[in-house]
Coordinates of all heavy atoms in Angstrom, one line a residue:
M1 N 0.9 -1.2 0.0 CA 0.0 0.0 0.0 C 0.9 1.2 0.0 O 1.9 1.3 0.7 CB -0.9 0.0 1.2 CG -1.8 1.2 1.2 SD -3.0 1.5 2.5 CE -3.5 -0.1 3.0
I2 N 0.5 2.2 -0.7 CA 1.2 3.5 -0.8 C 0.8 4.3 0.5 O -0.4 4.4 0.8 CB 0.8 4.3 -2.1 CG1 1.1 3.5 -3.3 CG2 1.5 5.7 -2.1 CD1 2.5 3.1 -3.5
D3 N 1.8 4.8 1.2 CA 1.6 5.5 2.4 C 1.4 7.0 2.3 O 0.8 7.6 3.1 CB 2.7 5.2 3.4 CG 2.8 3.7 3.7 OD1 1.8 3.0 3.9 OD2 4.0 3.2 3.9
T4 N 2.1 7.6 1.4 CA 2.2 9.0 1.3 C 1.9 9.6 -0.1 O 1.9 8.8 -1.1 CB 3.6 9.5 1.7 OG1 4.6 9.0 0.7 CG2 4.0 9.1 3.1
G5 N 1.6 10.9 -0.2 CA 1.4 11.5 -1.4 C 0.0 11.4 -2.0 O -0.9 10.9 -1.3
A6 N -0.1 11.7 -3.3 CA -1.4 11.7 -3.9 C -2.0 10.3 -4.1 O -3.2 10.2 -4.3 CB -1.3 12.4 -5.3
L7 N -1.2 9.3 -4.0 CA -1.7 7.9 -4.1 C -1.8 7.2 -2.7 O -2.0 6.0 -2.7 CB -0.8 7.1 -5.0 CG -0.7 7.6 -6.5 CD1 0.2 6.7 -7.3 CD2 -2.0 7.8 -7.1
G8 N -1.8 8.0 -1.7 CA -1.9 7.4 -0.3 C -3.2 6.6 -0.2 O -4.2 7.1 -0.6
G9 N -3.0 5.4 0.4 CA -4.2 4.6 0.7 C -4.5 3.6 -0.5 O -5.4 2.8 -0.3
V10 N -3.7 3.7 -1.6 CA -4.0 2.8 -2.7 C -3.1 1.6 -2.6 O -1.9 1.7 -2.3 CB -3.6 3.6 -4.0 CG1 -3.8 2.6 -5.2 CG2 -4.5 4.8 -4.2
E11 N -3.7 0.4 -2.9 CA -2.9 -0.8 -2.9 C -2.4 -1.1 -4.3 O -3.2 -1.0 -5.2 CB -3.8 -2.0 -2.4 CG -4.2 -1.9 -0.9 CD -5.1 -3.0 -0.5 OE1 -5.0 -4.1 -1.1 OE2 -5.8 -2.8 0.5
V12 N -1.1 -1.4 -4.4 CA -0.5 -1.6 -5.7 C 0.3 -2.9 -5.7 O 0.7 -3.4 -4.7 CB 0.4 -0.4 -6.0 CG1 -0.4 0.9 -6.1 CG2 1.5 -0.2 -5.0
V13 N 0.5 -3.3 -7.0 CA 1.3 -4.5 -7.2 C 2.1 -4.3 -8.4 O 1.6 -3.8 -9.4 CB 0.3 -5.7 -7.5 CG1 1.1 -7.0 -7.8 CG2 -0.6 -6.0 -6.3
A14 N 3.4 -4.7 -8.4 CA 4.3 -4.6 -9.5 C 3.7 -5.5 -10.6 O 3.5 -6.7 -10.3 CB 5.7 -4.9 -9.2
L15 N 3.6 -5.0 -11.8 CA 3.1 -5.8 -12.9 C 4.2 -6.7 -13.5 O 5.3 -6.2 -13.7 CB 2.6 -4.9 -14.0 CG 1.8 -5.5 -15.2 CD1 0.5 -6.2 -14.6 CD2 1.4 -4.4 -16.1
N16 N 4.0 -7.9 -13.7 CA 4.9 -8.8 -14.3 C 4.2 -9.6 -15.4 O 3.0 -9.5 -15.5 CB 5.5 -9.8 -13.2 CG 4.5 -10.7 -12.6 OD1 3.7 -11.3 -13.2 ND2 4.4 -10.6 -11.2
P17 N 5.0 -10.3 -16.3 CA 4.4 -10.9 -17.4 C 3.3 -11.9 -17.1 O 2.2 -11.9 -17.7 CB 5.5 -11.6 -18.1 CG 6.7 -10.8 -17.7 CD 6.5 -10.3 -16.3
A18 N 3.4 -12.7 -16.0 CA 2.4 -13.7 -15.6 C 1.1 -13.0 -15.2 O 0.0 -13.4 -15.6 CB 2.9 -14.6 -14.6
L19 N 1.3 -11.9 -14.4 CA 0.1 -11.2 -13.9 C -0.6 -10.5 -15.1 O -1.8 -10.6 -15.2 CB 0.5 -10.2 -12.9 CG -0.6 -9.3 -12.3 CD1 -1.7 -10.1 -11.7 CD2 0.0 -8.3 -11.3
A20 N 0.2 -9.9 -15.9 CA -0.4 -9.2 -17.1 C -1.2 -10.2 -18.0 O -2.3 -9.9 -18.4 CB 0.6 -8.5 -17.9
D21 N -0.6 -11.3 -18.2 CA -1.2 -12.3 -19.1 C -2.5 -12.8 -18.4 O -3.5 -13.0 -19.1 CB -0.3 -13.5 -19.3 CG -0.8 -14.4 -20.4 OD1 -1.2 -13.9 -21.4 OD2 -0.7 -15.7 -20.2
S22 N -2.5 -13.1 -17.1 CA -3.7 -13.6 -16.4 C -4.8 -12.6 -16.4 O -6.0 -12.9 -16.3 CB -3.3 -14.0 -15.0 OG -3.1 -12.8 -14.1
L23 N -4.5 -11.3 -16.5 CA -5.5 -10.2 -16.6 C -5.9 -9.9 -18.0 O -6.8 -9.0 -18.2 CB -5.0 -9.0 -15.9 CG -4.7 -9.1 -14.4 CD1 -4.0 -7.8 -13.9 CD2 -5.9 -9.3 -13.6
G24 N -5.4 -10.6 -18.9 CA -5.7 -10.4 -20.3 C -5.0 -9.3 -21.0 O -5.4 -8.8 -22.0
G25 N -3.9 -8.8 -20.4 CA -3.2 -7.7 -20.9 C -2.0 -8.0 -21.6 O -1.7 -9.2 -21.8
D26 N -1.2 -7.1 -22.0 CA 0.0 -7.2 -22.7 C 1.1 -7.8 -21.8 O 1.5 -7.1 -20.8 CB 0.5 -5.9 -23.3 CG 1.8 -5.9 -24.0 OD1 2.5 -7.0 -24.0 OD2 2.2 -4.9 -24.6
P27 N 1.6 -9.0 -22.0 CA 2.6 -9.6 -21.1 C 3.9 -8.8 -21.1 O 4.8 -9.1 -20.2 CB 2.8 -11.0 -21.6 CG 2.3 -11.0 -23.0 CD 1.3 -9.9 -23.1
F28 N 4.1 -8.0 -22.1 CA 5.4 -7.2 -22.1 C 5.3 -5.8 -21.5 O 6.3 -5.1 -21.4 CB 5.8 -7.1 -23.6 CG 6.1 -8.4 -24.2 CD1 5.2 -8.9 -25.1 CD2 7.2 -9.1 -23.9 CE1 5.4 -10.2 -25.7 CE2 7.5 -10.4 -24.5 CZ 6.5 -10.9 -25.4
L29 N 4.1 -5.5 -21.0 CA 3.9 -4.2 -20.3 C 4.5 -4.2 -19.0 O 4.4 -5.2 -18.2 CB 2.4 -3.9 -20.2 CG 2.0 -2.6 -19.7 CD1 2.3 -1.5 -20.7 CD2 0.5 -2.6 -19.4
T30 N 5.3 -3.2 -18.6 CA 5.8 -3.0 -17.3 C 5.2 -1.8 -16.6 O 4.9 -0.8 -17.3 CB 7.4 -2.9 -17.3 OG1 7.7 -1.7 -18.1 CG2 8.0 -4.1 -17.9
G31 N 5.0 -1.9 -15.3 CA 4.5 -0.8 -14.6 C 4.0 -1.3 -13.2 O 4.3 -2.4 -12.8
V32 N 3.2 -0.5 -12.6 CA 2.6 -0.8 -11.3 C 1.1 -0.8 -11.4 O 0.5 0.3 -11.8 CB 3.1 0.1 -10.2 CG1 2.5 -0.2 -8.9 CG2 4.6 0.1 -10.2
I33 N 0.4 -1.9 -11.1 CA -1.0 -1.9 -11.3 C -1.7 -1.5 -10.0 O -1.2 -1.8 -8.9 CB -1.5 -3.4 -11.7 CG1 -3.0 -3.4 -12.1 CG2 -1.2 -4.4 -10.6 CD1 -3.4 -4.6 -12.8
L34 N -2.8 -0.7 -10.1 CA -3.5 -0.3 -9.0 C -4.5 -1.3 -8.6 O -5.5 -1.5 -9.3 CB -4.2 1.1 -9.2 CG -3.3 2.2 -9.7 CD1 -4.1 3.5 -9.9 CD2 -2.1 2.4 -8.8
A35 N -4.2 -2.1 -7.6 CA -5.1 -3.3 -7.3 C -6.3 -2.8 -6.6 O -7.4 -3.4 -6.8 CB -4.3 -4.2 -6.4
R36 N -6.3 -1.8 -5.7 CA -7.4 -1.4 -5.0 C -7.3 0.1 -4.7 O -6.4 0.6 -4.1 CB -7.6 -2.1 -3.7 CG -8.8 -1.8 -2.9 CD -9.0 -2.7 -1.7 NE -10.0 -2.1 -0.9 CZ -9.8 -1.2 0.1 NH1 -8.6 -0.9 0.4 NH2 -10.8 -0.8 0.9
V37 N -8.2 0.9 -5.3 CA -8.3 2.3 -5.1 C -9.6 2.7 -4.4 O -10.6 2.8 -5.0 CB -8.2 3.1 -6.5 CG1 -8.2 4.6 -6.3 CG2 -7.1 2.6 -7.4
P38 N -9.5 2.8 -3.1 CA -10.7 3.1 -2.3 C -11.4 4.4 -2.7 O -10.7 5.4 -3.1 CB -10.2 3.2 -0.8 CG -8.9 2.5 -0.8 CD -8.3 2.7 -2.2
R39 N -12.7 4.4 -2.6 CA -13.5 5.6 -3.0 C -13.1 6.9 -2.3 O -13.2 8.0 -2.8 CB -15.0 5.3 -2.8 CG -15.5 4.3 -3.7 CD -17.0 4.1 -3.5 NE -17.5 3.0 -4.3 CZ -17.9 3.0 -5.5 NH1 -17.9 4.2 -6.2 NH2 -18.4 2.0 -6.1
D40 N -12.7 6.8 -1.0 CA -12.5 8.0 -0.2 C -11.0 8.5 -0.3 O -10.6 9.3 0.5 CB -12.8 7.7 1.2 CG -12.0 6.6 1.9 OD1 -11.3 5.8 1.1 OD2 -12.0 6.5 3.1
T41 N -10.3 8.1 -1.4 CA -8.9 8.5 -1.5 C -8.9 9.7 -2.5 O -9.7 9.8 -3.4 CB -8.0 7.4 -2.0 OG1 -8.4 6.9 -3.2 CG2 -7.9 6.3 -1.0
Y42 N -7.8 10.5 -2.4 CA -7.5 11.5 -3.4 C -7.4 10.9 -4.8 O -7.9 11.5 -5.8 CB -6.3 12.3 -3.0 CG -5.9 13.5 -3.8 CD1 -6.5 14.7 -3.6 CD2 -5.0 13.4 -4.8 CE1 -6.2 15.8 -4.3 CE2 -4.7 14.5 -5.6 CZ -5.3 15.7 -5.4 OH -5.0 16.8 -6.1
A43 N -6.7 9.8 -4.9 CA -6.4 9.1 -6.2 C -7.7 8.8 -6.9 O -7.8 9.0 -8.1 CB -5.6 7.9 -6.0
R44 N -8.8 8.4 -6.2 CA -10.0 8.1 -6.8 C -10.9 9.3 -7.0 O -11.4 9.6 -8.1 CB -10.8 7.1 -6.0 CG -12.1 6.6 -6.5 CD -11.9 5.5 -7.5 NE -13.1 4.8 -7.9 CZ -13.4 3.5 -7.6 NH1 -12.6 2.9 -6.8 NH2 -14.5 3.0 -8.0
G45 N -11.1 10.1 -6.0 CA -12.0 11.2 -6.0 C -11.5 12.4 -6.9 O -12.3 13.0 -7.6
R46 N -10.3 12.7 -6.8 CA -9.7 13.9 -7.5 C -9.0 13.5 -8.8 O -9.1 14.3 -9.8 CB -8.8 14.7 -6.6 CG -9.4 15.2 -5.4 CD -10.2 16.4 -5.7 NE -9.4 17.4 -6.3 CZ -9.6 18.7 -6.3 NH1 -10.8 19.1 -5.9 NH2 -8.8 19.5 -6.9
L47 N -8.3 12.4 -8.8 CA -7.6 12.0 -10.0 C -8.3 11.1 -11.0 O -7.9 10.9 -12.1 CB -6.2 11.4 -9.6 CG -5.3 12.2 -8.7 CD1 -4.1 11.4 -8.4 CD2 -5.0 13.5 -9.4
G48 N -9.4 10.4 -10.4 CA -10.2 9.6 -11.3 C -9.5 8.2 -11.5 O -9.9 7.5 -12.5
L49 N -8.5 7.9 -10.8 CA -7.8 6.6 -11.0 C -8.8 5.4 -10.5 O -9.5 5.6 -9.5 CB -6.5 6.5 -10.2 CG -5.5 7.5 -10.8 CD1 -4.2 7.5 -9.9 CD2 -5.1 7.2 -12.2
M50 N -8.6 4.3 -11.1 CA -9.5 3.2 -10.8 C -8.8 1.9 -10.6 O -7.6 1.8 -11.1 CB -10.5 3.0 -12.0 CG -11.4 4.2 -12.2 SD -12.5 4.1 -13.6 CE -13.6 2.9 -13.0
N51 N -9.4 0.9 -10.0 CA -8.8 -0.4 -9.9 C -8.4 -0.9 -11.3 O -9.2 -0.8 -12.2 CB -9.8 -1.4 -9.3 CG -10.2 -1.1 -7.9 OD1 -9.6 -0.3 -7.2 ND2 -11.3 -1.7 -7.4
G52 N -7.2 -1.5 -11.4 CA -6.8 -2.0 -12.7 C -6.0 -1.1 -13.6 O -5.4 -1.5 -14.5
D53 N -6.0 0.2 -13.2 CA -5.1 1.2 -14.0 C -3.7 0.8 -13.7 O -3.3 0.3 -12.7 CB -5.4 2.6 -13.5 CG -6.7 3.2 -13.9 OD1 -7.4 2.5 -14.8 OD2 -7.0 4.3 -13.5
V54 N -2.9 1.0 -14.7 CA -1.4 0.7 -14.6 C -0.7 2.0 -14.7 O -0.8 2.8 -15.7 CB -1.0 -0.2 -15.7 CG1 0.5 -0.5 -15.6 CG2 -1.7 -1.6 -15.6
I55 N 0.2 2.3 -13.7 CA 1.0 3.5 -13.7 C 2.3 3.0 -14.5 O 3.0 2.1 -14.0 CB 1.4 4.0 -12.3 CG1 0.2 4.3 -11.5 CG2 2.4 5.2 -12.4 CD1 -0.6 5.5 -11.9
L56 N 2.6 3.7 -15.6 CA 3.8 3.3 -16.4 C 5.0 4.1 -16.1 O 6.1 3.6 -16.1 CB 3.4 3.5 -17.9 CG 2.2 2.7 -18.4 CD1 1.9 3.1 -19.8 CD2 2.5 1.2 -18.3
A57 N 4.8 5.4 -15.7 CA 5.9 6.3 -15.5 C 5.5 7.5 -14.6 O 4.3 7.9 -14.5 CB 6.4 6.9 -16.8
V58 N 6.5 8.0 -13.9 CA 6.4 9.2 -13.1 C 7.4 10.2 -13.5 O 8.6 9.8 -13.5 CB 6.5 8.8 -11.6 CG1 6.4 10.1 -10.7 CG2 5.5 7.8 -11.1
N59 N 7.0 11.3 -13.9 CA 7.9 12.4 -14.4 C 8.8 11.8 -15.6 O 10.0 12.1 -15.6 CB 8.8 13.0 -13.3 CG 8.0 13.9 -12.5 OD1 7.0 14.5 -12.9 ND2 8.4 14.1 -11.2
G60 N 8.2 11.0 -16.4 CA 9.0 10.5 -17.6 C 9.9 9.3 -17.3 O 10.5 8.7 -18.2
R61 N 9.9 8.9 -16.0 CA 10.8 7.7 -15.7 C 9.9 6.5 -15.4 O 8.9 6.6 -14.7 CB 11.6 8.0 -14.4 CG 12.6 9.1 -14.7 CD 13.5 9.2 -13.5 NE 14.7 10.0 -13.9 CZ 15.6 10.4 -13.1 NH1 15.6 9.9 -11.8 NH2 16.6 11.1 -13.5
A62 N 10.3 5.4 -15.9 CA 9.5 4.1 -15.8 C 9.3 3.8 -14.3 O 10.1 4.0 -13.5 CB 10.3 3.0 -16.4
A63 N 8.0 3.4 -14.0 CA 7.6 3.0 -12.7 C 7.5 1.5 -12.8 O 6.6 1.0 -13.4 CB 6.3 3.7 -12.3
S64 N 8.3 0.7 -12.1 CA 8.2 -0.7 -12.1 C 8.0 -1.4 -10.8 O 7.8 -2.6 -10.7 CB 9.4 -1.3 -12.8 OG 10.6 -0.9 -12.1
T65 N 8.1 -0.6 -9.7 CA 7.9 -1.1 -8.3 C 7.0 -0.1 -7.6 O 7.0 1.0 -7.9 CB 9.3 -1.2 -7.6 OG1 9.8 0.1 -7.3 CG2 10.3 -2.0 -8.4
P66 N 6.4 -0.7 -6.6 CA 5.5 0.2 -5.7 C 6.3 1.4 -5.1 O 5.7 2.5 -4.9 CB 5.0 -0.7 -4.6 CG 4.9 -2.1 -5.3 CD 6.2 -2.1 -6.2
Q67 N 7.6 1.2 -4.8 CA 8.4 2.3 -4.3 C 8.4 3.5 -5.2 O 8.6 4.6 -4.7 CB 9.8 1.8 -3.9 CG 9.8 0.8 -2.8 CD 9.4 -0.6 -3.2 OE1 9.3 -1.0 -4.3 NE2 9.0 -1.4 -2.2
H68 N 8.3 3.3 -6.5 CA 8.4 4.4 -7.4 C 7.2 5.3 -7.3 O 7.2 6.5 -7.8 CB 8.4 3.9 -8.9 CG 9.7 3.3 -9.2 ND1 9.8 2.2 -10.0 CD2 11.0 3.7 -8.9 CE1 11.1 1.8 -10.1 NE2 11.8 2.7 -9.5
L69 N 6.1 4.9 -6.6 CA 4.9 5.6 -6.5 C 4.8 6.3 -5.1 O 3.8 7.1 -4.9 CB 3.7 4.7 -6.7 CG 3.6 4.0 -8.0 CD1 2.3 3.2 -8.1 CD2 3.8 4.9 -9.2
Q70 N 5.7 6.1 -4.2 CA 5.6 6.7 -2.9 C 5.9 8.2 -3.0 O 6.8 8.6 -3.8 CB 6.7 6.1 -1.9 CG 6.4 4.7 -1.5 CD 5.3 4.6 -0.5 OE1 4.7 5.6 0.0 NE2 4.9 3.4 -0.1
G71 N 5.1 9.0 -2.4 CA 5.4 10.4 -2.3 C 5.1 11.2 -3.6 O 5.6 12.3 -3.7
I72 N 4.2 10.7 -4.5 CA 3.8 11.5 -5.7 C 3.1 12.7 -5.2 O 2.2 12.6 -4.4 CB 3.0 10.6 -6.6 CG1 3.9 9.6 -7.3 CG2 2.3 11.5 -7.7 CD1 3.1 8.7 -8.2
Q73 N 3.5 13.9 -5.7 CA 2.9 15.1 -5.2 C 2.5 16.0 -6.4 O 2.7 15.7 -7.5 CB 3.9 15.9 -4.3 CG 4.3 15.1 -3.1 CD 5.2 15.8 -2.2 OE1 5.3 17.1 -2.2 NE2 5.9 15.1 -1.4
R74 N 1.8 17.1 -6.0 CA 1.4 18.1 -7.0 C 2.5 18.5 -7.9 O 3.6 18.7 -7.5 CB 0.8 19.3 -6.3 CG -0.5 19.0 -5.6 CD -1.1 20.2 -5.0 NE -2.3 19.8 -4.3 CZ -3.2 20.6 -3.8 NH1 -3.0 21.9 -3.9 NH2 -4.2 20.2 -3.2
G75 N 2.2 18.7 -9.2 CA 3.1 19.1 -10.2 C 3.8 18.0 -10.9 O 4.5 18.2 -11.9
M76 N 3.7 16.8 -10.4 CA 4.4 15.6 -11.0 C 3.5 15.1 -12.1 O 2.3 15.1 -12.0 CB 4.7 14.5 -9.9 CG 5.6 15.0 -8.8 SD 5.9 13.8 -7.6 CE 7.4 13.0 -8.2
E77 N 4.2 14.5 -13.1 CA 3.4 13.9 -14.2 C 3.4 12.4 -14.0 O 4.4 11.8 -13.6 CB 4.2 14.1 -15.6 CG 4.0 15.5 -16.1 CD 4.5 15.6 -17.5 OE1 5.2 14.7 -18.0 OE2 4.3 16.6 -18.1
V78 N 2.2 11.8 -14.3 CA 2.0 10.4 -14.1 C 1.4 9.9 -15.4 O 0.4 10.4 -15.9 CB 1.1 10.1 -13.0 CG1 0.9 8.6 -12.8 CG2 1.7 10.6 -11.7
T79 N 2.0 8.8 -16.0 CA 1.5 8.2 -17.2 C 0.8 6.9 -16.8 O 1.3 6.1 -16.1 CB 2.6 7.9 -18.2 OG1 3.3 9.1 -18.5 CG2 2.1 7.3 -19.5
V80 N -0.5 6.9 -17.2 CA -1.4 5.8 -16.8 C -1.9 5.1 -18.1 O -2.2 5.7 -19.1 CB -2.6 6.4 -16.0 CG1 -3.6 5.3 -15.6 CG2 -2.1 7.2 -14.9
E81 N -2.1 3.8 -18.0 CA -2.7 3.0 -19.0 C -4.0 2.4 -18.4 O -4.0 1.8 -17.4 CB -1.8 1.9 -19.6 CG -2.5 1.1 -20.7 CD -1.6 0.2 -21.5 OE1 -0.6 0.7 -22.0 OE2 -2.0 -0.9 -21.6
R82 N -5.1 2.5 -19.2 CA -6.4 1.9 -18.8 C -7.0 1.3 -20.0 O -7.2 2.0 -21.0 CB -7.3 3.0 -18.2 CG -8.7 2.4 -17.9 CD -9.7 3.5 -17.4 NE -9.2 4.0 -16.1 CZ -9.6 5.2 -15.6 NH1 -10.5 5.9 -16.3 NH2 -9.2 5.7 -14.5
R83 N -7.2 0.0 -20.0 CA -7.8 -0.7 -21.1 C -7.1 -0.4 -22.4 O -7.8 -0.2 -23.4 CB -9.3 -0.5 -21.2 CG -10.0 -1.0 -20.0 CD -11.5 -0.8 -20.1 NE -12.1 -0.7 -18.8 CZ -12.8 0.3 -18.4 NH1 -13.0 1.3 -19.2 NH2 -13.3 0.3 -17.2
G84 N -5.8 -0.4 -22.4 CA -5.0 -0.2 -23.7 C -4.8 1.3 -24.1 O -4.2 1.6 -25.1
Q85 N -5.5 2.2 -23.4 CA -5.4 3.6 -23.7 C -4.4 4.3 -22.7 O -4.5 4.1 -21.5 CB -6.7 4.3 -23.6 CG -7.7 3.7 -24.5 CD -7.4 4.0 -26.0 OE1 -7.0 5.1 -26.4 NE2 -7.5 3.0 -26.8
R86 N -3.5 5.1 -23.2 CA -2.5 5.8 -22.4 C -2.8 7.2 -22.3 O -3.2 7.9 -23.3 CB -1.1 5.6 -22.9 CG -0.6 4.2 -22.8 CD 0.8 4.0 -23.2 NE 1.2 2.6 -23.1 CZ 2.4 2.1 -23.3 NH1 3.4 3.0 -23.5 NH2 2.6 0.8 -23.2
A87 N -2.5 7.8 -21.1 CA -2.7 9.2 -20.9 C -1.7 9.7 -19.8 O -1.3 8.9 -18.9 CB -4.1 9.5 -20.4
T88 N -1.2 10.9 -20.0 CA -0.3 11.5 -19.0 C -1.1 12.6 -18.3 O -1.7 13.5 -19.0 CB 1.0 12.0 -19.7 OG1 1.6 10.9 -20.3 CG2 1.9 12.7 -18.6
M89 N -1.1 12.6 -17.0 CA -1.7 13.7 -16.2 C -0.7 14.3 -15.3 O 0.2 13.7 -14.9 CB -2.9 13.1 -15.4 CG -2.4 12.1 -14.3 SD -3.8 11.6 -13.3 CE -4.6 10.4 -14.3
V90 N -1.0 15.6 -15.0 CA -0.3 16.3 -14.0 C -1.1 16.3 -12.8 O -2.3 16.7 -12.7 CB 0.0 17.8 -14.5 CG1 0.8 18.6 -13.4 CG2 0.8 17.7 -15.8
I91 N -0.4 15.9 -11.6 CA -1.1 15.9 -10.4 C -1.4 17.3 -9.9 O -0.5 18.1 -9.9 CB -0.3 15.1 -9.3 CG1 0.1 13.7 -9.8 CG2 -1.0 15.1 -8.0 CD1 -1.1 12.8 -10.1
R92 N -2.6 17.6 -9.6 CA -3.0 19.0 -9.1 C -3.6 18.9 -7.7 O -4.1 18.0 -7.3 CB -4.1 19.5 -10.1 CG -3.6 19.6 -11.5 CD -4.1 20.7 -12.2 NE -3.7 20.7 -13.6 CZ -2.6 21.3 -14.0 NH1 -1.8 22.0 -13.2 NH2 -2.3 21.3 -15.3

């Protein structure tokens, strides 16, 4: 679980080929999957992140472990993939 920052309270798991394949996704995709995004978190309410979203990068750097998501704050860019669609957002 992420303890601090804009993703505080979100449960995450490092995405690996076996997990991606079992979820019907691209087994070559790397990132951190949002396993559980509670409704009462900033990530869900303000950022619109949902269970199953994959964080690919933070400030242009690949995110491959949950530690890469600790302390994400305002002004940082996060690249997210949801159902094959990618978007980059600035945390506000």
Side-chain angles (χ1 to χ4, degrees):
M1 181 179 325
I2 303 299
D3 298 323
T4 62
L7 300 183
V10 176
E11 292 180 26
V12 298
V13 177
L15 191 60
N16 60 53
L19 178 58
D21 191 46
S22 73
L23 296 172
D26 179 356
F28 299 104
L29 185 67
T30 59
V32 180
I33 191 167
L34 305 183
R36 185 172 165 271
V37 184
R39 291 183 189 273
D40 62 345
T41 60
Y42 184 84
R44 181 82 168 250
R46 297 284 298 198
L47 302 178
L49 295 173
M50 302 176 69
N51 298 343
D53 287 352
V54 179
I55 304 291
L56 303 172
V58 177
N59 284 338
R61 292 187 169 180
S64 58
T65 69
Q67 291 76 19
H68 290 137
L69 305 185
Q70 289 287 355
I72 291 178
Q73 298 185 22
R74 291 181 183 193
M76 298 177 94
E77 283 187 352
V78 177
T79 302
V80 180
E81 181 168 308
R82 178 183 295 160
R83 296 184 206 122
Q85 300 294 315
R86 290 185 185 190
T88 299
M89 67 174 76
V90 176
I91 305 299
R92 303 214 182 269

